[in-house]
Amino acid sequence: MATLTGVTAPAATRMTSRHRLILVLLLGVQFMLAIDFSILNVALPVVGEGLGFGLGSLQWIATAFALPAAGFTLLFGRVADLFGRRRMLLAGMGLLAVGSLIGGLATSPAWLLTGRVLQGLATAIATPAALSLITTSFPEGPLRHRALGLSGALMSAGFTAGAVLGGVLTDLLSWRWAFLINVPIAVFVLVATPLVITDRDGMATRRDRGARLDVPGAITVTGGLLALVYGITAAGTQGWSDPFALGALVLAAVLLVAFWVAERHAPAPLVPLRVLAKRTVTWGNVGGFIAFATETSLVFLMTLYLQQVLGYSAMATGLALGVLGAGTFAGGVAAPRIMARLGGRWTLASGLVLQAVATAALLGLGETRSGLPLLLVATAIGGFGNLVAIVAFMGTATSGLPDEEQGLATGLATMTQQVAITLGIPVMSTIATAGGGSVLGGIHAATLANAAITLAGAALVAGFLRRRAITKG
């Protein structure tokens, strides 16, 4: 932090009691949103039987969430800057409660999909708002790194916990509780947020209060992202030669190019091109994209391995992958110290390298359960490296930007996360089934590709993120 005399003051390193209250609330929000993303995955067959979804229609339960979650997150990240972060967080949590109630009480596929769409839209509203409240509540440096480390750890742990919790609730109660469990938590957040986060914490800056929303940019980028996610999802289920998938991907390319052109001429662009020109933003998001796309798709591959090769149940699979969750939590806790020592560039690259090495070790898995210890150890180590990379990605992609652009920065980061998660699984699924051979052979081929992509990402980050562009804290 620079003083009036031009001398750099040491960054704060200790949290106040108010910092802790804000952090606990926002981490709880993010943990719940992460759980919500994955809680239905293991319950999909049961949901299908209960409401009459055909086998080919089950994917729409996930797609109905992913489309708005990825398509609208950049827009609402910027809206949070313009109209207030606390206000958008409350709107997102209110919408989540409504969507979860609709989904939990659904009596037909249409009502269930409506609930999932509202949940995805709520995620697009609340996630960048919560992240930007963290980055604006904690000054850039050790405190922010620590907060982002805990945030990343709990978000990643939430993805894993969602799979475990979904299996437990489905087996012991009903799949409906995978929806309904959100309602009381969302109501609690709606009550607690105004007591913990003040208007000043979540308000738009004076400059942004006078700004107007870039409507052409909002329409083109949202439409482009929706088309991109739909095209990727359709290609993953129908094949990459499917005309609807290809048409959606072409439309996405056209709209995203139109967005770029619109931003060049807009007086108040949704995404100022000078922000995208920053190496920290561009290459930080590249590293984050690779981290999310590879690790979430690896979870898919290991789920396939545990259930289709080794014959484990959905609940046993979720519990086995809980070890990965423990590794990610440890990585999130350790990441701030690693960043303080190595800086963002090398922390991001090193985390990806560790993840790649651990992923490559999984090529030793065979057709018997004797390889289970290898899976547990390798996924835990890979999860540690992945979360170190994710925390470095968040710290890097939001560094060097003023508070009035933190909603934009976290919106970009959240968009990167959602699109990466959506893209990773179809790509790895395509690789796994391309050869037409054994299930294990396909999993090995996809695992090798996963490790290679992760290693290439580490090389890109190390090569293009110059040290002087990163704030070490």
Side-chain angles (χ1 to χ4, degrees):
M1 181 184 298
T3 65
L4 292 176
T5 61
V7 178
T8 301
T13 58
R14 298 188 65 179
M15 290 189 187
T16 64
S17 58
R18 185 166 176 276
H19 275 143
R20 293 189 183 94
L21 278 176
I22 292 174
L23 189 58
V24 167
L25 177 66
L26 295 176
L27 290 182
V29 169
Q30 291 185 297
F31 186 67
M32 182 182 68
L33 291 171
I35 286 178
D36 197 45
F37 182 88
S38 59
I39 195 169
L40 275 182
N41 288 353
V42 298
L44 287 181
V46 181
V47 176
E49 292 175 7
L51 291 182
F53 278 90
L55 184 61
S57 302
L58 283 179
Q59 52 112 358
W60 283 105
I61 298 176
T63 303
F65 180 95
L67 277 170
F72 288 94
T73 187
L74 181 58
L75 169 62
F76 284 118
R78 186 55 180 154
V79 169
D81 282 337
L82 297 177
F83 301 108
R85 301 176 186 95
R86 190 183 78 162
R87 185 177 300 168
M88 296 306 295
L89 176 61
L90 291 172
M93 298 311 294
L95 190 60
L96 180 67
V98 173
S100 298
L101 192 61
I102 290 173
L105 301 178
T107 56
S108 68
W111 278 110
L112 184 104
L113 293 178
T114 299
R116 285 300 274 170
V117 168
L118 293 178
Q119 285 184 321
L121 194 59
T123 297
I125 296 170
T127 301
L131 273 172
S132 59
L133 280 169
I134 289 177
T135 57
T136 54
S137 297
F138 295 88
E140 190 171 331
L143 274 185
R144 184 182 293 181
H145 293 161
R146 192 183 311 165
L148 289 175
L150 291 171
S151 170
L154 282 180
M155 284 184 70
S156 185
F159 292 134
T160 305
V164 177
L165 185 61
V168 171
L169 289 174
T170 300
D171 283 356
L172 299 183
L173 296 173
S174 164
W175 62 264
R176 295 183 183 277
W177 282 99
F179 284 94
L180 295 176
I181 195 174
N182 289 330
V183 178
I185 301 174
V187 171
F188 172 79
V189 173
L190 287 171
V191 173
T193 296
L195 302 176
V196 175
I197 300 175
T198 66
D199 286 332
R200 177 174 292 184
D201 294 320
M203 69 189 300
T205 64
R206 183 177 299 176
R207 188 183 80 178
D208 277 338
R209 286 198 297 272
R212 294 183 178 180
L213 183 65
D214 172 21
V215 176
I219 292 173
T220 51
V221 74
T222 302
L225 289 172
L226 287 170
L228 176 64
V229 174
Y230 175 81
I232 292 168
T233 305
T237 56
Q238 305 298 327
W240 291 89
S241 60
D242 178 70
F244 290 103
L246 292 176
L249 293 174
V250 170
L251 177 62
V254 171
L255 287 173
L256 291 175
V257 170
F259 168 68
W260 182 270
V261 174
E263 297 308 273
R264 292 186 63 184
H265 298 95
L270 183 72
V271 182
L273 298 185
R274 59 176 175 76
V275 173
L276 293 178
K278 291 179 69 69
R279 284 177 178 264
T280 51
V281 173
T282 301
W283 291 103
N285 277 283
V286 167
F289 182 91
I290 291 170
F292 274 107
T294 53
E295 190 68 9
T296 52
S297 60
L298 184 68
V299 170
F300 163 75
L301 293 174
M302 292 303 101
T303 300
L304 199 64
Y305 174 74
L306 287 167
Q307 292 189 9
Q308 294 198 11
V309 178
L310 299 187
Y312 283 107
S313 67
M315 183 180 290
T317 299
L319 292 173
L321 292 175
V323 178
L324 184 151
T328 58
F329 186 84
V333 172
R337 295 180 182 178
I338 299 173
M339 284 187 71
R341 182 176 295 272
L342 300 181
R345 174 197 189 194
W346 291 113
T347 302
L348 180 51
S350 299
L352 290 174
V353 168
L354 181 60
Q355 179 188 331
V357 171
T359 300
L362 294 170
L363 293 171
L365 296 175
E367 295 182 347
T368 67
R369 296 186 177 185
S370 61
L372 187 60
L374 170 62
L375 183 147
L376 296 177
V377 172
T379 54
I381 294 173
F384 181 93
N386 178 256
L387 238 294
V388 167
I390 286 173
V391 173
F393 142 60
M394 286 301 306
T396 300
T398 58
S399 67
L401 294 174
D403 282 355
E404 60 265 22
E405 291 178 346
Q406 285 299 317
L408 167 61
T410 54
L412 282 168
T414 307
M415 179 198 71
T416 294
Q417 168 189 320
Q418 297 289 357
V419 175
I421 291 171
T422 305
L423 176 64
I425 293 176
V427 169
M428 289 302 147
S429 178
T430 300
I431 295 173
T433 57
S438 67
V439 173
L440 181 60
I443 292 172
H444 279 167
T447 301
L448 179 61
N450 191 297
I453 292 169
T454 308
L455 196 60
L460 285 171
V461 168
F464 289 96
L465 258 179
R466 288 197 293 260
R467 181 180 295 274
R468 66 174 178 270
I470 307 298
T471 301
K472 289 184 67 172

